Amino acid sequence: MATVLLIFAACGREVQEIEKMSFDFAKFSTGYDPEWLSTGFDDSAWEELNLRETWDTQGYDKYDGEAVYRIRFDLPALSGSDRGPDLLIYLGKIDDADKVYVNGKYIGGNGGFKGDGGSDISFWDIDRTYAVYGNDPALNWGGSNVLAIRVNDKELEGGMYDGPVTIEACTEKDIASTNGLLGDPAKRHHIACQELPGGKIRCDATVRYYLREPAKGRITLLLKDDETGKTKKLFKSEPLELSCGSEYTTSLTLDEAGRAEIIAMFKGKVLARIVPPYILTPKAPAEPVINGPKVYGVRPGSPVIFKIPASGDKPMAYSVEGLPKGLEVNPDNGVISGSILMEGNYDVTLKASNGKGEGRKAFRFVVGDAIALTPPMGWNSWNCWGLTVTQDKVMASAKAMMDKGLTDYGWSYINIDDAWEADRRDKSGKILTNEKFPDIKGLGDWLHYNGLKMGIYSSPGDETCGHYLGSLGHEREDAETWASWGVDYLKYDWCGYGKVFNALDNKGREEYIRPYALMSKILREQKRDIVYSLCQYGMDNVWEWGAEVDAQCWRTTGDITDTWNSLKEIGFSQTVQHEYAAPGRWNDPDMLIVGKVGWGALHDSRLTPDELYTHISLWCLLSSPLLIGCDISQMDRFTFNLLSNPEVLAVNQDVLGKQAAKVWEDGDIQIWMKDVEDGKAIGVFNLGRDSRSVTIPLKELGLDEKSSVRDLWRCRELGRCAKKTFEVPSHGCFLLKLK
Ligand code: GAL
């Protein structure tokens, strides 16, 4: 299908360059008035603030609430052209949320504003980059422009603090990595792909012509195949005369294939390119294969809840050889339940069989003090549903986790994040669920029957980050209530505790530890194992003392969002924590941003397929808890395959419990490596904009030149590593095992 449409009014000649602009200061006022966003507003009476420090250090100590920064900048006149270059605006980090305007027009934002009827959501630790297209009518070429940044500070320090702000011309690739909304994508050439029900991929390529002079030529779509290195022509249009304002769209359907790139060209010039979703994980065999970890830690007498994770045709019959006294296995769904009273190691063989064959796996129950001997794998409601989570939405993802077969690969936790709490306790002080969770105990029972586990969220402060009730002063009641509901995992989020902490004179480590140690003591008194996950964004190097407060996981960073910048900043900065990881002690760089995410307003993750492979590879190497952040009931085949590669997940679930360290860096190339039970797991990452060929520097990394290498995503032996060159795409990676 191909169409030509006429849509534009403004057409230009040549796009010209502009100089990069940099701003250390901005005009500033607390409060908010829509008038302050406009170009014409007179801000001469406003004072100037330094953009490298929060407003708290510049005369607004402890000010929480809204404020506006204004930056005036000039754009050159366009000589002989009506279209300027696209602009990339870099704002650094902003505490906590922002909405950004150019000449009064909204161009993007991060985090949430309660004042606008939303909730205060903090994105304090995330770099902001926004883009405005060069033909956006809001821009005033040849005149004065105003960039207005409206900020909402929820608590603690506030404002812009990571300056200078820069404005420069940018390319399509830069635009793809912004984390604000885009100016107006309807004004650019672009290719967008989506998965069709049968697994084929449909791509729509749209070319938009905006030059004043008409041009004659054909639009060609090329497919560059990575595996073969060959480029084939997919489509060539009839000769066209493209005139100013014409738009040309063609749609094509691709069979599922390896990594390839679609390139749209006109008169020898590349107009747009995209890598459609591509699946690397080979199809699971019909015979049973038992996946998942090799160990399960449980405390004496605590309930065991473990479903044998087996891929292959269903129905399947499950059994266990050598099952210790106190445990039983449901032969129909493979759920092992019961409890073991005596400490010790209990070695068993897990078995699963169907009409095609039998799968077996050696497995150990380790009954003792330590739990979460491998990083927890599951789902959390936050990245998809934010504060709009309901019991039905939780059930829908849990059910889809089973129906789609993610449970066959070891996914098991179903964690409810913020917004389940009622706004008031009952007379006895007991915390209650709100109307969105009519039967949380019933939910827990149903999850447990199916071999899944239930997680909950609270804060050591009086309120959570979403302003729901926290546990301050009610720690014991809350832990007991959660245990009675069957909770297996607690995410305990600092937020409201900031108020208690700020009022202290002494802000030493013991004060960071205090609220977490208090809850951990009470959790240990419950008659079930509750994985304890600290969420305080890495303050006071939490990885140095997380294990001391008996936690199994601790967030090391602020909140993640679904952009390359956020992924890169968070994932690749985990360079000092690896020494602290061990079975039952996990650094947590935040939850997965795969599939449909959106904190209440779902959209496809803005990461490209290459970036998504990087995300999962890195999180597996980092031995991070893996918590799926999307609505699983809407999960596509690409995302399912990304999360169900047994060899990749084995890197995360490896019994040694090591975390990868960055061992090599050469410009944009980084190599991360960790010991696993049967060799070394290695990630080769390309953070740059162009693809790069990489040979692994075996000698420098102390590796044997005779090592053989396996490609874990493709589940393929590649032979001697020394002879291999890896063509690593921009923002992509290879995940390897060396033996
Ligand atoms: C944040 C936390 C998020 C989410 C949110 C809930 O502080 O980092 O992961 O839990 O609070 O309000």
Side-chain angles (χ1 to χ4, degrees), residues 62 156 494 496-507 511:
K62 301 212 168 63
L156 308 177
W494 178 266
Y497 193 77
K499 284 179 258 170
V500 179
F501 183 82
N502 276 348
L504 298 171
D505 293 332
N506 163 24
K507 294 193 174 56
E511 297 304 332

mmCIF file with all atom_site columns, all heavy atoms in Angstrom, residues 62 156 494 496-507 511:
data_model
loop_
_atom_site.group_PDB
_atom_site.id
_atom_site.type_symbol
_atom_site.label_atom_id
_atom_site.label_alt_id
_atom_site.label_comp_id
_atom_site.label_asym_id
_atom_site.label_entity_id
_atom_site.label_seq_id
_atom_site.pdbx_PDB_ins_code
_atom_site.Cartn_x
_atom_site.Cartn_y
_atom_site.Cartn_z
_atom_site.occupancy
_atom_site.B_iso_or_equiv
_atom_site.pdbx_formal_charge
_atom_site.auth_seq_id
_atom_site.auth_comp_id
_atom_site.auth_asym_id
_atom_site.auth_atom_id
_atom_site.pdbx_PDB_model_num
ATOM 1   N N   . LYS A 1 62  ? 14.699 24.334 51.828 1.00 0.00 ? 62  LYS A N   1
ATOM 2   C CA  . LYS A 1 62  ? 13.505 23.568 52.220 1.00 0.00 ? 62  LYS A CA  1
ATOM 3   C C   . LYS A 1 62  ? 12.233 24.018 51.511 1.00 0.00 ? 62  LYS A C   1
ATOM 4   O O   . LYS A 1 62  ? 11.131 23.670 51.900 1.00 0.00 ? 62  LYS A O   1
ATOM 5   C CB  . LYS A 1 62  ? 13.277 23.614 53.732 1.00 0.00 ? 62  LYS A CB  1
ATOM 6   C CG  . LYS A 1 62  ? 14.443 23.063 54.533 1.00 0.00 ? 62  LYS A CG  1
ATOM 7   C CD  . LYS A 1 62  ? 13.971 22.401 55.820 1.00 0.00 ? 62  LYS A CD  1
ATOM 8   C CE  . LYS A 1 62  ? 15.065 21.598 56.465 1.00 0.00 ? 62  LYS A CE  1
ATOM 9   N NZ  . LYS A 1 62  ? 16.231 22.366 56.890 1.00 0.00 ? 62  LYS A NZ  1
ATOM 10  N N   . LEU A 1 156 ? 12.422 17.345 50.103 1.00 0.00 ? 156 LEU A N   1
ATOM 11  C CA  . LEU A 1 156 ? 13.886 17.459 50.170 1.00 0.00 ? 156 LEU A CA  1
ATOM 12  C C   . LEU A 1 156 ? 14.346 18.588 49.238 1.00 0.00 ? 156 LEU A C   1
ATOM 13  O O   . LEU A 1 156 ? 13.629 19.549 49.046 1.00 0.00 ? 156 LEU A O   1
ATOM 14  C CB  . LEU A 1 156 ? 14.553 16.117 49.846 1.00 0.00 ? 156 LEU A CB  1
ATOM 15  C CG  . LEU A 1 156 ? 14.038 14.913 50.659 1.00 0.00 ? 156 LEU A CG  1
ATOM 16  C CD1 . LEU A 1 156 ? 14.710 13.624 50.210 1.00 0.00 ? 156 LEU A CD1 1
ATOM 17  C CD2 . LEU A 1 156 ? 14.248 15.134 52.150 1.00 0.00 ? 156 LEU A CD2 1
ATOM 18  N N   . TRP A 1 494 ? 11.613 4.675  51.143 1.00 0.00 ? 494 TRP A N   1
ATOM 19  C CA  . TRP A 1 494 ? 11.995 5.786  52.022 1.00 0.00 ? 494 TRP A CA  1
ATOM 20  C C   . TRP A 1 494 ? 10.972 6.922  52.051 1.00 0.00 ? 494 TRP A C   1
ATOM 21  O O   . TRP A 1 494 ? 10.453 7.298  53.091 1.00 0.00 ? 494 TRP A O   1
ATOM 22  C CB  . TRP A 1 494 ? 13.355 6.293  51.529 1.00 0.00 ? 494 TRP A CB  1
ATOM 23  C CG  . TRP A 1 494 ? 13.945 7.461  52.239 1.00 0.00 ? 494 TRP A CG  1
ATOM 24  C CD1 . TRP A 1 494 ? 13.823 8.775  51.881 1.00 0.00 ? 494 TRP A CD1 1
ATOM 25  C CD2 . TRP A 1 494 ? 14.789 7.439  53.398 1.00 0.00 ? 494 TRP A CD2 1
ATOM 26  N NE1 . TRP A 1 494 ? 14.539 9.564  52.734 1.00 0.00 ? 494 TRP A NE1 1
ATOM 27  C CE2 . TRP A 1 494 ? 15.140 8.775  53.675 1.00 0.00 ? 494 TRP A CE2 1
ATOM 28  C CE3 . TRP A 1 494 ? 15.281 6.431  54.220 1.00 0.00 ? 494 TRP A CE3 1
ATOM 29  C CZ2 . TRP A 1 494 ? 15.971 9.126  54.741 1.00 0.00 ? 494 TRP A CZ2 1
ATOM 30  C CZ3 . TRP A 1 494 ? 16.106 6.783  55.280 1.00 0.00 ? 494 TRP A CZ3 1
ATOM 31  C CH2 . TRP A 1 494 ? 16.438 8.109  55.539 1.00 0.00 ? 494 TRP A CH2 1
ATOM 32  N N   . GLY A 1 496 ? 8.259  9.204  52.559 1.00 0.00 ? 496 GLY A N   1
ATOM 33  C CA  . GLY A 1 496 ? 7.767  10.000 53.678 1.00 0.00 ? 496 GLY A CA  1
ATOM 34  C C   . GLY A 1 496 ? 8.740  10.038 54.851 1.00 0.00 ? 496 GLY A C   1
ATOM 35  O O   . GLY A 1 496 ? 8.664  10.934 55.707 1.00 0.00 ? 496 GLY A O   1
ATOM 36  N N   . TYR A 1 497 ? 9.647  9.093  54.926 1.00 0.00 ? 497 TYR A N   1
ATOM 37  C CA  . TYR A 1 497 ? 10.605 9.079  56.033 1.00 0.00 ? 497 TYR A CA  1
ATOM 38  C C   . TYR A 1 497 ? 11.568 10.256 55.934 1.00 0.00 ? 497 TYR A C   1
ATOM 39  O O   . TYR A 1 497 ? 12.202 10.638 56.922 1.00 0.00 ? 497 TYR A O   1
ATOM 40  C CB  . TYR A 1 497 ? 11.375 7.750  56.071 1.00 0.00 ? 497 TYR A CB  1
ATOM 41  C CG  . TYR A 1 497 ? 12.124 7.569  57.370 1.00 0.00 ? 497 TYR A CG  1
ATOM 42  C CD1 . TYR A 1 497 ? 11.443 7.190  58.520 1.00 0.00 ? 497 TYR A CD1 1
ATOM 43  C CD2 . TYR A 1 497 ? 13.484 7.823  57.448 1.00 0.00 ? 497 TYR A CD2 1
ATOM 44  C CE1 . TYR A 1 497 ? 12.115 7.067  59.725 1.00 0.00 ? 497 TYR A CE1 1
ATOM 45  C CE2 . TYR A 1 497 ? 14.162 7.696  58.652 1.00 0.00 ? 497 TYR A CE2 1
ATOM 46  C CZ  . TYR A 1 497 ? 13.473 7.318  59.782 1.00 0.00 ? 497 TYR A CZ  1
ATOM 47  O OH  . TYR A 1 497 ? 14.132 7.200  60.974 1.00 0.00 ? 497 TYR A OH  1
ATOM 48  N N   . GLY A 1 498 ? 11.653 10.859 54.761 1.00 0.00 ? 498 GLY A N   1
ATOM 49  C CA  . GLY A 1 498 ? 12.519 12.029 54.573 1.00 0.00 ? 498 GLY A CA  1
ATOM 50  C C   . GLY A 1 498 ? 12.225 13.109 55.609 1.00 0.00 ? 498 GLY A C   1
ATOM 51  O O   . GLY A 1 498 ? 13.125 13.809 56.080 1.00 0.00 ? 498 GLY A O   1
ATOM 52  N N   . LYS A 1 499 ? 10.952 13.246 55.967 1.00 0.00 ? 499 LYS A N   1
ATOM 53  C CA  . LYS A 1 499 ? 10.575 14.293 56.932 1.00 0.00 ? 499 LYS A CA  1
ATOM 54  C C   . LYS A 1 499 ? 11.194 14.023 58.301 1.00 0.00 ? 499 LYS A C   1
ATOM 55  O O   . LYS A 1 499 ? 11.705 14.925 58.961 1.00 0.00 ? 499 LYS A O   1
ATOM 56  C CB  . LYS A 1 499 ? 9.054  14.339 57.068 1.00 0.00 ? 499 LYS A CB  1
ATOM 57  C CG  . LYS A 1 499 ? 8.376  15.001 55.893 1.00 0.00 ? 499 LYS A CG  1
ATOM 58  C CD  . LYS A 1 499 ? 6.872  15.009 56.068 1.00 0.00 ? 499 LYS A CD  1
ATOM 59  C CE  . LYS A 1 499 ? 6.243  13.935 55.222 1.00 0.00 ? 499 LYS A CE  1
ATOM 60  N NZ  . LYS A 1 499 ? 4.864  13.650 55.410 1.00 0.00 ? 499 LYS A NZ  1
ATOM 61  N N   . VAL A 1 500 ? 11.147 12.765 58.730 1.00 0.00 ? 500 VAL A N   1
ATOM 62  C CA  . VAL A 1 500 ? 11.725 12.397 60.028 1.00 0.00 ? 500 VAL A CA  1
ATOM 63  C C   . VAL A 1 500 ? 13.233 12.636 59.963 1.00 0.00 ? 500 VAL A C   1
ATOM 64  O O   . VAL A 1 500 ? 13.826 13.248 60.854 1.00 0.00 ? 500 VAL A O   1
ATOM 65  C CB  . VAL A 1 500 ? 11.476 10.898 60.321 1.00 0.00 ? 500 VAL A CB  1
ATOM 66  C CG1 . VAL A 1 500 ? 12.092 10.487 61.640 1.00 0.00 ? 500 VAL A CG1 1
ATOM 67  C CG2 . VAL A 1 500 ? 9.993  10.583 60.265 1.00 0.00 ? 500 VAL A CG2 1
ATOM 68  N N   . PHE A 1 501 ? 13.826 12.198 58.884 1.00 0.00 ? 501 PHE A N   1
ATOM 69  C CA  . PHE A 1 501 ? 15.272 12.253 58.728 1.00 0.00 ? 501 PHE A CA  1
ATOM 70  C C   . PHE A 1 501 ? 15.763 13.698 58.689 1.00 0.00 ? 501 PHE A C   1
ATOM 71  O O   . PHE A 1 501 ? 16.740 14.063 59.347 1.00 0.00 ? 501 PHE A O   1
ATOM 72  C CB  . PHE A 1 501 ? 15.653 11.523 57.436 1.00 0.00 ? 501 PHE A CB  1
ATOM 73  C CG  . PHE A 1 501 ? 17.114 11.434 57.193 1.00 0.00 ? 501 PHE A CG  1
ATOM 74  C CD1 . PHE A 1 501 ? 17.869 10.440 57.814 1.00 0.00 ? 501 PHE A CD1 1
ATOM 75  C CD2 . PHE A 1 501 ? 17.757 12.335 56.352 1.00 0.00 ? 501 PHE A CD2 1
ATOM 76  C CE1 . PHE A 1 501 ? 19.229 10.357 57.586 1.00 0.00 ? 501 PHE A CE1 1
ATOM 77  C CE2 . PHE A 1 501 ? 19.115 12.255 56.127 1.00 0.00 ? 501 PHE A CE2 1
ATOM 78  C CZ  . PHE A 1 501 ? 19.855 11.262 56.744 1.00 0.00 ? 501 PHE A CZ  1
ATOM 79  N N   . ASN A 1 502 ? 15.043 14.553 57.958 1.00 0.00 ? 502 ASN A N   1
ATOM 80  C CA  . ASN A 1 502 ? 15.476 15.946 57.815 1.00 0.00 ? 502 ASN A CA  1
ATOM 81  C C   . ASN A 1 502 ? 15.492 16.693 59.130 1.00 0.00 ? 502 ASN A C   1
ATOM 82  O O   . ASN A 1 502 ? 16.268 17.625 59.309 1.00 0.00 ? 502 ASN A O   1
ATOM 83  C CB  . ASN A 1 502 ? 14.552 16.674 56.841 1.00 0.00 ? 502 ASN A CB  1
ATOM 84  C CG  . ASN A 1 502 ? 15.006 16.434 55.435 1.00 0.00 ? 502 ASN A CG  1
ATOM 85  O OD1 . ASN A 1 502 ? 16.107 15.924 55.220 1.00 0.00 ? 502 ASN A OD1 1
ATOM 86  N ND2 . ASN A 1 502 ? 14.169 16.769 54.480 1.00 0.00 ? 502 ASN A ND2 1
ATOM 87  N N   . ALA A 1 503 ? 14.610 16.269 60.026 1.00 0.00 ? 503 ALA A N   1
ATOM 88  C CA  . ALA A 1 503 ? 14.519 16.971 61.299 1.00 0.00 ? 503 ALA A CA  1
ATOM 89  C C   . ALA A 1 503 ? 15.653 16.575 62.257 1.00 0.00 ? 503 ALA A C   1
ATOM 90  O O   . ALA A 1 503 ? 15.796 17.157 63.324 1.00 0.00 ? 503 ALA A O   1
ATOM 91  C CB  . ALA A 1 503 ? 13.165 16.678 61.932 1.00 0.00 ? 503 ALA A CB  1
ATOM 92  N N   . LEU A 1 504 ? 16.447 15.595 61.866 1.00 0.00 ? 504 LEU A N   1
ATOM 93  C CA  . LEU A 1 504 ? 17.514 15.126 62.765 1.00 0.00 ? 504 LEU A CA  1
ATOM 94  C C   . LEU A 1 504 ? 18.734 16.031 62.683 1.00 0.00 ? 504 LEU A C   1
ATOM 95  O O   . LEU A 1 504 ? 19.046 16.567 61.619 1.00 0.00 ? 504 LEU A O   1
ATOM 96  C CB  . LEU A 1 504 ? 17.953 13.714 62.361 1.00 0.00 ? 504 LEU A CB  1
ATOM 97  C CG  . LEU A 1 504 ? 16.909 12.602 62.432 1.00 0.00 ? 504 LEU A CG  1
ATOM 98  C CD1 . LEU A 1 504 ? 17.459 11.334 61.793 1.00 0.00 ? 504 LEU A CD1 1
ATOM 99  C CD2 . LEU A 1 504 ? 16.525 12.348 63.886 1.00 0.00 ? 504 LEU A CD2 1
ATOM 100 N N   . ASP A 1 505 ? 19.442 16.160 63.781 1.00 0.00 ? 505 ASP A N   1
ATOM 101 C CA  . ASP A 1 505 ? 20.711 16.901 63.745 1.00 0.00 ? 505 ASP A CA  1
ATOM 102 C C   . ASP A 1 505 ? 21.784 15.997 63.173 1.00 0.00 ? 505 ASP A C   1
ATOM 103 O O   . ASP A 1 505 ? 22.571 16.374 62.319 1.00 0.00 ? 505 ASP A O   1
ATOM 104 C CB  . ASP A 1 505 ? 21.116 17.338 65.157 1.00 0.00 ? 505 ASP A CB  1
ATOM 105 C CG  . ASP A 1 505 ? 20.131 18.364 65.677 1.00 0.00 ? 505 ASP A CG  1
ATOM 106 O OD1 . ASP A 1 505 ? 19.543 19.078 64.833 1.00 0.00 ? 505 ASP A OD1 1
ATOM 107 O OD2 . ASP A 1 505 ? 19.921 18.425 66.913 1.00 0.00 ? 505 ASP A OD2 1
ATOM 108 N N   . ASN A 1 506 ? 21.796 14.785 63.685 1.00 0.00 ? 506 ASN A N   1
ATOM 109 C CA  . ASN A 1 506 ? 22.793 13.826 63.227 1.00 0.00 ? 506 ASN A CA  1
ATOM 110 C C   . ASN A 1 506 ? 22.233 13.066 62.031 1.00 0.00 ? 506 ASN A C   1
ATOM 111 O O   . ASN A 1 506 ? 21.194 12.432 62.112 1.00 0.00 ? 506 ASN A O   1
ATOM 112 C CB  . ASN A 1 506 ? 23.098 12.864 64.388 1.00 0.00 ? 506 ASN A CB  1
ATOM 113 C CG  . ASN A 1 506 ? 23.784 11.605 63.891 1.00 0.00 ? 506 ASN A CG  1
ATOM 114 O OD1 . ASN A 1 506 ? 24.420 11.602 62.834 1.00 0.00 ? 506 ASN A OD1 1
ATOM 115 N ND2 . ASN A 1 506 ? 23.644 10.525 64.654 1.00 0.00 ? 506 ASN A ND2 1
ATOM 116 N N   . LYS A 1 507 ? 22.920 13.186 60.886 1.00 0.00 ? 507 LYS A N   1
ATOM 117 C CA  . LYS A 1 507 ? 22.421 12.467 59.700 1.00 0.00 ? 507 LYS A CA  1
ATOM 118 C C   . LYS A 1 507 ? 23.425 11.394 59.289 1.00 0.00 ? 507 LYS A C   1
ATOM 119 O O   . LYS A 1 507 ? 23.713 11.200 58.122 1.00 0.00 ? 507 LYS A O   1
ATOM 120 C CB  . LYS A 1 507 ? 22.151 13.443 58.568 1.00 0.00 ? 507 LYS A CB  1
ATOM 121 C CG  . LYS A 1 507 ? 21.003 14.400 58.875 1.00 0.00 ? 507 LYS A CG  1
ATOM 122 C CD  . LYS A 1 507 ? 20.549 15.147 57.649 1.00 0.00 ? 507 LYS A CD  1
ATOM 123 C CE  . LYS A 1 507 ? 19.316 16.004 57.860 1.00 0.00 ? 507 LYS A CE  1
ATOM 124 N NZ  . LYS A 1 507 ? 19.385 17.004 58.920 1.00 0.00 ? 507 LYS A NZ  1
ATOM 125 N N   . GLU A 1 511 ? 21.396 6.637  61.085 1.00 0.00 ? 511 GLU A N   1
ATOM 126 C CA  . GLU A 1 511 ? 20.050 7.185  60.890 1.00 0.00 ? 511 GLU A CA  1
ATOM 127 C C   . GLU A 1 511 ? 19.425 6.711  59.571 1.00 0.00 ? 511 GLU A C   1
ATOM 128 O O   . GLU A 1 511 ? 18.213 6.670  59.431 1.00 0.00 ? 511 GLU A O   1
ATOM 129 C CB  . GLU A 1 511 ? 20.057 8.713  60.977 1.00 0.00 ? 511 GLU A CB  1
ATOM 130 C CG  . GLU A 1 511 ? 20.473 9.225  62.354 1.00 0.00 ? 511 GLU A CG  1
ATOM 131 C CD  . GLU A 1 511 ? 19.597 8.677  63.489 1.00 0.00 ? 511 GLU A CD  1
ATOM 132 O OE1 . GLU A 1 511 ? 18.421 8.368  63.235 1.00 0.00 ? 511 GLU A OE1 1
ATOM 133 O OE2 . GLU A 1 511 ? 20.117 8.544  64.616 1.00 0.00 ? 511 GLU A OE2 1
#
